DNA sequence: TCTTTTGTTAACGTTAGGTTAAACATAATT
DNA sequence: AATTATGTTTAACCTAACGTTAACAAAAGA
């Protein structure tokens, strides 16, 4: 069995620092793709699958946060680490809000970075890997392609799904016929669990139910106080 | 609604700092158990299940690393965050080696700590794939699915159960054909044992008897002054 | 008999969820 | 830069679900 190197997307506008960091990571057996700005970073992200993104916060045109948000719309799971100029508390908090896994204050120790990367990769490894790789689902007479964010009925014209619609339906599908806890969706998709995000989720459930109406054998049931259940009656 | 707070084990020998931190976390809806040293920390860890451990590194007798190692031997999954005195690189690296998820340099910003905790909890939010064994019961001609909270008769249409109905029937099923003491249900389900909760429980027993009526071989008997007994006559 | 415990039904108050529409935010287009 | 399209959150209103309590009846034990 051939151990595949982990792939890292590094987005850093400082050419010197970026190159040094890239080389250092490659020396430590990571495959690194280096983008010089936010735009390029997003292009490269769309073209490939990465195990980790390291984003500089301060970049011209498109800063690290904006990029992170775009990345999160495409992929809720990939770990993101920010490089912040100094101990800017605001930046750190903002980073976590857009779904960062960690941050590092520049200048930082390269060994510490390596350890952080290792720790993050390990966490991911213990997470349900099988789940994150699954992007296509058969839901009754529907086909959900979660990567392209569309839903087909009877193989006809696909309906486009918004990022949130897509993620929610995907989570439900992953738990097909079983309980999908409210809390899970809220922490995974909304990254926060409060009254308003909860109501927001209910709104999305309503939207999904509309989409799924054409097939009477598919329904989203509520389990009061617990969550939802995507039931597929196959007859 | 019984949204369970996340439980944190905080091991910190400085009594002032420890108390302040504990209060701050509790203000933010975490259940916190505070241990004053490594030994006590390990004792408390063994006695309960925690969602997160926050360990001070510098402690007399047993330092945070040693404690972390012991914790890891018992549990490979629980997230651990270290509090290090300052940016001691050695400490940070050592921390990651014993399986830390993150670290914080003292003094640290409390909001940043909160965000880190949130981020860590969210990662862990990935499905607690509870074994279905514990949640499925055969009760005469009924099937109880305690996770999805429904009761099926002869494999037909499932009847939805409310949380309390479900818990109560599950407790009875766990004690099948045996005494299920009143007090047990009251403390486990109602978390209080007084006249009113007791009457409330009787109301639920009545509801359950109605649900179970279709199978004459299943009944809930009362043992005066003691509790109830779910009897299943298999002929 | 008389007291305590249990059985049962109905009424009530509270919270969670379903749904729609408006407000707000952001990205895309002109 | 201004406008339009798209996505998301917030607000509002309504219904359903749930749990508690009260009230009265029946049974058990003393």
């Amino acid at each position: 069995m051939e151990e595949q190197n982990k792939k890292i997307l590094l987005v850093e506008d400082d050419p010197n620092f970026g190159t040094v960091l890239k080389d250092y990571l490659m020396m430590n057996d990571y495959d690194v793709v280096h983008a010089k700005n936010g735009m390029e970073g997003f292009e490269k992200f769309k073209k490939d699958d990465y195990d980790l993104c390291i984003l500089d916060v301060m970049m011209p045109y498109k800063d690290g946060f904006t990029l992170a948000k775009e990345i999160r719309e495409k992929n809720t799971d990939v770990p993101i680490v920010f490089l912040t100029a100094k101990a800017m508390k605001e930046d750190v908090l903002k980073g976590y809000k857009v779904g960062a896994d960690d941050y590092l204050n520049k200048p930082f120790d390269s060994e510490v970075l390596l350890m952080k990367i290792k720790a993050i990769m390990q966490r991911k490894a213990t997470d349900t890997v099988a789940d994150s790789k699954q992007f296509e689902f058969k839901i009754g007479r529907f086909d959900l392609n979660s990567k392209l964010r569309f839903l087909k009925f009877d193989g006809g014209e696909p309906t486009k799904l918004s990022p949130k619609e897509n993620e929610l339906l995907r989570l439900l599908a992953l738990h097909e016929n079983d309980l999908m806890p409210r809390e899970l969706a809220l922490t995974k998709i909304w990254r926060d669990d409060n009254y308003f995000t909860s109501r927001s989720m209910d709104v999305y459930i309503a939207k999904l139910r509309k989409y799924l109406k054409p097939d009477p054998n598919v329904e989203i049931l509520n389990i009061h106080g617990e969550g939802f259940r995507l039931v597929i009656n196959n007859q």
Side-chain angles (χ1 to χ4, degrees), chain A residues 79-171:
Chain A
I80 296 178
V81 173
F82 283 113
L83 306 180
T84 60
K86 28 184 173 137
M88 289 274 285
K89 186 183 145 191
E90 289 310 313
D91 281 3
V92 170
L93 295 182
K94 202 170 168 190
Y96 278 118
K97 264 183 203 137
V98 294
D101 282 66
D102 214 330
Y103 68 96
L104 270 169
N105 294 319
K106 288 204 261 186
F108 54 81
D109 186 281
S110 54
E111 281 187 82
V112 173
L113 171 63
L114 267 195
M115 288 312 252
K116 285 212 181 208
I117 292 177
K118 260 196 181 175
I120 288 174
M121 298 286 193
Q122 261 169 27
R123 287 194 294 249
K124 276 292 153 187
T126 57
D127 280 5
T128 26
V129 178
D131 284 4
S132 54
K133 293 282 172 195
Q134 238 176 289
F135 291 103
E136 288 176 23
F137 302 89
K138 179 137 212 78
I139 304 173
R141 289 161 68 187
F142 296 96
D143 286 303
L144 169 65
N145 185 321
S146 198
K147 208 153 195 141
L148 302 176
R149 294 207 325 244
F150 66 53
L151 187 65
K152 262 196 238 178
F153 179 61
D154 279 346
E157 271 306 290
T159 312
K160 285 203 211 172
L161 298 180
S162 83
K164 288 244 151 73
E165 292 167 349
N166 176 56
E167 278 303 310
L168 188 54
L169 186 52
R170 176 167 172 267
L171 261 196

Side-chain angles (χ1 to χ4, degrees), chain A residues 14-92:
Chain A
D14 179 335
N16 293 321
F17 182 66
T19 309
V20 170
L21 186 49
K22 177 184 174 181
D23 290 345
Y24 178 71
L25 289 172
M26 290 181 77
M27 262 169 44
N28 284 279
D29 295 325
Y30 292 105
D31 288 347
V32 183
V33 171
H34 180 198
K36 274 95 186 165
N37 62 62
M39 246 89 70
E40 193 191 332
F42 192 50
E43 290 310 312
K44 296 203 159 151
F45 178 80
K46 281 191 290 190
K47 285 212 182 73
D48 215 331
D49 286 327
Y50 293 92
D51 297 292
L52 173 69
C53 299
I54 302 178
L55 313 182
D56 192 8
V57 167
M58 290 268 281
M59 287 188 299
Y61 308 120
K62 185 185 284 185
D63 67 58
F65 300 130
T66 313
L67 174 58
K69 266 194 242 172
E70 293 176 354
I71 287 177
R72 275 278 169 266
E73 276 189 13
K74 290 262 161 208
N75 183 326
T76 48
D77 291 330
V78 64
I80 296 178
V81 173
F82 283 113
L83 306 180
T84 60
K86 28 184 173 137
M88 289 274 285
K89 186 183 145 191
E90 289 310 313
D91 281 3
V92 170

Side-chain angles (χ1 to χ4, degrees), chain A residues 212-235:
Chain A
L212 297 176
K213 210 153 225 168
D215 186 344
N217 292 315
V218 173
E219 42 182 349
I220 299 176
L221 300 184
N222 173 256
I223 299 177
H224 200 93
E226 297 289 334
F228 294 92
R229 193 157 83 94
L230 176 67
V231 219
I232 304 171
N233 304 306
N234 34 6
Q235 53 227 342

